[in-house]
Amino acid sequence: WQLDDLPHPAYHKFELEKYIHFIDKRLPIETSRGCPYSCTYCDVKVSMGQAFRPRGPEHIITEIRHFYDKGYRFFEFVDDVFTMDLDRAKTVCRMILESGMKFRWNCANGIRADRVDEELLRLMKDAGCEFVAYGLETGNPEMLKIIKKAITLEKATETFHLTKRIGLKFAVNFIIGHQEETFERAMDSIKYAKSIPADYVNFSNMIPYPGTEIYKWLCDNEKSGRAR
């Protein structure tokens, strides 16, 4: 729970030059752990826990400064929900700006389209963020309810157009193979992807990780032939 008590990652113990991210000297940074949502396909509540545990902005900036002084100029925020607390995310951005450090960063791991506003997106861009990914997972409104995404297409669409207007590059992630998903519902995701102003869209196959709700659904339904 007290993430600020943890030391900086011991990256010096890794042969970083052998990793592909060393090409642009990129390092991951995790400013929080856990996700309070209940999406049926997600294993975060198994691996990281469902409680959101944020690090303090000062602790985050100290870690960035530590590796910035070692020559790193590109950071990838790998939180499950970096923008869960909008005020905290805004404070992090303001502190980056006030620090005088100039570096690139992104949220390629994905953030929620309902956990941003115009002020935050502008602050992120001003602070050096060059890319965000949004996890939507389906373009069908009924499927959003089935997978317990807790967001509407209307809200997501509003955020995507806002992100485009601000000039921040972004991707939207989709999954094919949800429980109860038909061919027609899957095609709705493709149609929706074509309708939004995203720079990239990513489509992935469903993977039913043990411990997730969809894994249990699959085990319960494959005997009857309803799922395979």
Side-chain angles (χ1 to χ4, degrees):
W1 283 91
Q2 302 302 324
L3 300 188
D4 287 2
D5 293 342
L6 299 177
H8 301 317
Y11 288 132
H12 63 281
K13 293 182 178 289
F14 290 81
E15 296 179 274
L16 292 178
E17 66 279 359
K18 293 185 177 181
Y19 289 78
I20 193 166
H21 279 33
F22 195 76
I23 292 171
D24 47 15
K25 293 203 75 174
R26 186 188 322 177
L27 281 182
I29 180 167
E30 188 175 56
T31 79
S32 67
R33 293 181 183 176
C35 177
Y37 292 90
S38 300
C39 303
T40 60
Y41 54 84
C42 188
D43 67 334
V44 167
K45 52 181 161 290
V46 179
S47 60
M48 279 292 195
Q50 200 156 12
F52 177 69
R53 291 101 68 205
R55 290 171 57 192
E58 296 82 2
H59 195 252
I60 296 164
I61 298 301
T62 299
E63 181 177 322
I64 293 174
R65 172 68 75 181
H66 174 77
F67 291 109
Y68 184 89
D69 289 344
K70 293 181 179 296
Y72 289 93
R73 296 293 185 271
F74 194 174
F75 297 92
E76 193 159 277
F77 284 44
V78 297
D79 303 42
D80 296 302
V81 277
F82 168 66
T83 60
M84 185 68 212
D85 182 339
L86 269 66
D87 289 337
R88 184 193 78 115
K90 291 174 184 178
T91 299
V92 170
C93 292
R94 291 190 183 102
M95 290 184 72
I96 291 173
L97 287 166
E98 292 165 2
S99 73
M101 292 184 287
K102 304 290 184 183
F103 58 85
R104 302 157 61 201
W105 59 282
N106 66 40
C107 291
N109 192 45
I111 58 177
R112 288 185 60 92
D114 59 347
R115 299 305 305 161
V116 295
D117 59 21
E118 182 170 353
E119 181 186 24
L120 175 57
L121 289 173
R122 291 192 183 280
L123 278 169
M124 289 171 67
K125 187 171 186 293
D126 291 345
C129 181
E130 59 182 25
F131 174 79
V132 298
Y134 290 108
L136 183 61
E137 318 314 346
T138 177
N140 177 278
E142 287 304 311
M143 287 306 307
L144 283 173
K145 296 175 184 176
I146 290 170
I147 67 175
K148 301 180 181 179
K149 188 64 184 176
I151 193 174
T152 64
L153 281 183
E154 291 75 19
K155 177 58 181 176
T157 303
E158 176 187 323
T159 294
F160 301 154
H161 283 277
L162 173 62
T163 308
K164 188 70 174 181
R165 189 167 73 248
I166 287 172
L168 191 57
K169 283 193 173 184
F170 72 100
V172 180
N173 299 331
F174 297 88
I175 294 173
I176 299 292
H178 295 291
Q179 70 268 40
E180 310 290 352
E181 186 173 59
T182 61
F183 175 80
E184 289 75 21
R185 284 173 167 173
M187 288 304 295
D188 283 344
S189 292
I190 294 174
K191 292 172 187 173
Y192 179 77
K194 289 181 176 180
S195 74
I196 55 177
D199 296 283
Y200 312 94
V201 293
N202 302 313
F203 282 82
S204 303
N205 291 323
M206 169 59 65
I207 300 176
Y209 291 107
T212 60
E213 187 173 327
I214 193 173
Y215 182 86
K216 182 179 185 305
W217 181 90
L218 181 61
C219 292
D220 291 343
N221 285 276
E222 67 176 345
K223 294 174 185 175
S224 66
R226 192 173 176 213
R228 60 181 175 86

